[in-house]
């Protein structure tokens, strides 16, 4: 049980994990967790696959294995991304990808460019390695390439960390032209792009875009000349509890990642990798269809509820995929303090909201330097239509009351 | 496929993992890997447990979960060790325990005391955090307490890393009196003991000894005053491919481990923790009986073969449990170069041995400062009687020929 008052007083980087604990209480409607819809897990298919693996390859599934990961799974990943299996390292969730890439690419004091806001788990993974975060101005279409170029002309950087599709926390997607511009600028300045792509396949509206990795690969002389390290994951498209994800990178990065992973946890569970591999050909495509349909529907229900129940000056992002909607209350994200009477602190209000039966994630922890006091992240993936309607109405009341108090 | 000639020229810290790759070839008799006997895996029981979990708790098993780990499993671990669930952190293998403990307890330049020789995976885990290793003189009974005391009077240290029972690589066990002495000296000097105990339950001869954690707990004023951090694992007693292990520590260490694990990989796979928890009550006790019987038998077969086939001046450890036997060829471990004509380099001979169809692990990587050129580690757990007889005879011939050449 989390002491809510202290949590709301000052959101720490472990905010999301702590909130997850609170929202395990069944009476709380949670838009906080970023949890895939559990009722859509392909349970029977996973059960059948596991049974078959343990019957026919049980000893292999339960024995020590190679650090790089289960070769057939790496081959499947490589084929789909246009790379090779020896340029794929399996990780225990993308969080481990973030940790291992930070280990091998960052030295203390290195500048890491991030979106404004960015995924707080990435800040948490990179901080211990001494990363100095510099936020790049971003709008509804993600990173502004001109702002990136200006920053790089001022100060060199080691890494640019970005979630170009259906970003966490904003739900924003970087358009094709900006992708090309971002790649051009970073290549020119010798910056490695760390592309986090867990939501890539969860588009429910609009046209599919190539990943930064794919775009960079088309232009590079060889696969080892690509300046993008790509993180992929099965957590959001199959089941996060299996902890199966991967890193695609040039060989010289993979070689160092393998050594880092040997020291970190030897290898990821063999059984879990075999389960995922058994599902990728036949189950995954159907599963993606179900997820896109359900998440698209729920995003629409939430957008409608937000329009009806939130204060008129609140701005909500309109994601074309993924799991998250981003809200800027009152004066917006960048300068929440400019109109003092309307600045609403979503961190301080979390306690009130949870007591009223609804959880969200305050936006501030997603900013590298602590802005965004009147922002919040809502996940639309794991709630029913009725829960979304009720939860958004309740939140609207909480924020309206806070706004009235502040006036 | 590993280039053997380069591997044998200079054994790196990734030696064991690379050798594992070679020894996946079916014609090689491998004493190298430290693999539990796969034919003893409780496959049917794991299959039944998994099926039941996915049928009744599937959504929970496949969803994101808390960083600390599956509570019922932590409660079971805590009960057995005489501690509490909030002083237990689940890890992905003990290798991750080594990594996370290093993260939270070590600063660059900190002195870490280690056995001579010690587990190379621990050296590999602690090195990136800037550990300065100091070897403590050890004999057939493990660390010599007087040597430890003398060292600590000369230089302060942060951590003592030790595997007191059936050590990897030597198979040695620290007697009760030395355990008490080690705890007394380290407590007096303010040194935290990192006890690695994956083989504790695999005793096939002699009387059970309490762990360092248990001894320290009896004397401490409270559970948070215990100066031992204990690493436990299900890898050697159930199945390593599940990657289920744990850390027991005082709350102030656990709190920091939880934050470190959040950044490192969020949490260990839920399904795997539930599988292990389903087995601990009924399956694990029977499984331990089977393992002790089989490993005791195989250790005996290997000891007999070593006496008949190895050079007369080779010394083999006589483990009372665990998985490993340690060999000092010719002049022994500490000073392999003193009688120059008889110094046999087991690293250089690995190539010859594998070509003759037998794999082992050269001893040198287990020494923090590169001694032990004429030592090797043999695992007796995953080979049949016939393979042990044939493999040891072949190795004996390889070493005898090398000894003759060297004269």
């Amino acid at each position: 049980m989390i002491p809510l008052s202290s949590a709301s007083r000052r959101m720490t980087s472990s905010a999301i994990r702590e909130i997850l604990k609170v929202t395990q209480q069944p009476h709380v409607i949670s838009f906080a967790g970023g949890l895939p819809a559990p009722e859509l897990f392909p349970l029977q298919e996973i059960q059948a696959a596991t049974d078959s693996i343990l019957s026919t390859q049980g000893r292999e599934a339960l024995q020590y294995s190679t650090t790089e990961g289960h070769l057939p799974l790496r081959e499947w990943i490589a084929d789909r991304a246009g790379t090779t299996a020896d340029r794929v390292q399996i990780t225990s969730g993308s969080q481990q990808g973030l940790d291992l890439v930070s280990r091998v690419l960052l030295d203390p004091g290195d500048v890491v460019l991030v979106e404004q806001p960015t995924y707080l788990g990435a800040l948490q993974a990179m901080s211990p390695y001494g990363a100095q975060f510099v936020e790049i101005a971003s709008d509804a279409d993600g990173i502004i390439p001109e702002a990136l170029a200006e920053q790089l002309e001022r100060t060199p950087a080691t890494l640019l960390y970005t979630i170009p599709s259906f970003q966490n926390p904003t739900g924003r997607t970087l358009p094709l032209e900006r992708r090309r511009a971002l790649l051009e600028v970073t290549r020119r300045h010798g910056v490695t792009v760390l592309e986090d792509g867990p939501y890539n396949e969860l588009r429910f509206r609009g046209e599919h875009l190539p990943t930064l990795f794919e775009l960079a690969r088309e232009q590079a002389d060889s696969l080892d000349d690509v300046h993008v390290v790509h993180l992929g994951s099965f957590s959001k498209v199959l089941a996060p509890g299996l902890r199966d994800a991967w890193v695609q990178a040039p060989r010289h990065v993979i070689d160092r990642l393998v050594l880092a992973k040997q020291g970190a946890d030897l290898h990821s569970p063999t059984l879990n990798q075999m389960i995922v591999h058994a599902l990728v050909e036949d189950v995954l495509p159907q599963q993606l269809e179900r997820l896109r349909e359900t998440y698209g529907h729920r995003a629409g229900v939430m957008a409608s509820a937000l329009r009806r129940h939130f204060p008129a000056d609140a701005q909500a992002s309109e994601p074309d995929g993924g799991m998250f909607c981003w809200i800027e209350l009152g004066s917006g994200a960048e300068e929440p303090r400019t109109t003092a009477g309307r600045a609403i602190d979503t961190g301080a209000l979390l306690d009130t909201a949870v007591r009223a039966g609804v959880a969200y994630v305050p936006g501030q922890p997603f900013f590298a330097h602590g802005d965004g006091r009147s922002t919040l992240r809502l996940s639309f993936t794991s709630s029913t239509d009725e829960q979304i309607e009720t939860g958004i109405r309740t939140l609207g009341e909480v924020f309206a009351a806070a706004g009235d108090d502040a006036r």
Side-chain angles (χ1 to χ4, degrees), chain A residues 56 69 90 381 401:
Chain A
T56 60
I90 300 291
T381 51

Side-chain angles (χ1 to χ4, degrees), chain A residues 1 14 36 52 60 64-65 80 93 96 108 118 165 202 212 220 228 250 326 355 371-372 384 393 396:
Chain A
M1 180 62 195
S14 60
S52 164
E60 184 187 350
Y64 281 114
S65 186
R80 260 207 343 174
Q96 188 178 47
T118 186
S165 292
L202 296 178
L212 295 173
V228 177
W326 178 250
R355 286 177 201 276
D371 305 318
T384 63
R393 190 179 60 230

Side-chain angles (χ1 to χ4, degrees), chain A residues 325-343:
Chain A
C325 178
W326 178 250
I327 313 285
E328 301 179 356
L329 295 171
S331 57
E334 285 80 4
E335 297 176 19
R337 290 176 203 82
T338 49
T339 59
R342 289 285 293 139

Side-chain angles (χ1 to χ4, degrees), chain A residues 172-245:
Chain A
R172 295 167 187 160
T173 293
L174 197 71
L176 185 60
E177 278 318 301
R178 284 201 182 180
R179 292 181 188 227
R180 294 193 197 282
L182 180 150
L183 287 170
E184 190 278 319
V185 174
T186 48
R187 174 171 273 286
R188 182 154 41 87
H189 287 275
V191 176
T192 299
V193 177
L194 179 55
E195 176 182 41
D196 200 353
Y199 320 108
N200 274 352
E201 305 288 335
L202 296 178
R203 178 181 284 279
F204 45 71
R205 191 163 56 194
E207 295 234 334
H208 177 75
L209 289 175
T211 64
L212 295 173
F213 180 89
E214 287 162 347
L215 288 171
R217 191 202 58 204
E218 286 168 13
Q219 298 192 330
D221 293 335
S222 84
L223 285 169
D224 290 329
D225 194 39
V226 176
H227 73 300
V228 177
V229 172
H230 181 94
L231 304 178
S233 176
F234 295 104
S235 288
K236 305 302 192 287
V237 297
L238 283 173
L242 295 172
R243 315 300 299 124
D244 275 309

Side-chain angles (χ1 to χ4, degrees), chain A residues 133-172:
Chain A
F133 299 109
V134 173
E135 294 177 324
I136 303 297
S138 311
D139 61 19
D141 284 337
I143 282 182
I144 300 169
E146 293 74 19
L148 175 64
E150 278 169 30
Q151 174 61 39
L152 283 172
E153 272 146 34
R154 278 200 301 275
T155 319
T158 305
L159 218 57
L160 166 67
Y161 171 73
T162 176
I163 307 174
S165 292
F166 324 124
Q167 198 231 18
N168 182 356
T170 62
R172 295 167 187 160

Side-chain angles (χ1 to χ4, degrees), chain A residues 40-51 279 283 290:
Chain A
L40 299 184
F41 288 155
L43 251 173
Q44 288 182 347
E45 291 84 350
I46 288 176
Q47 198 165 3
T50 309
D51 205 57
L279 302 178
V283 177
R290 294 173 72 194

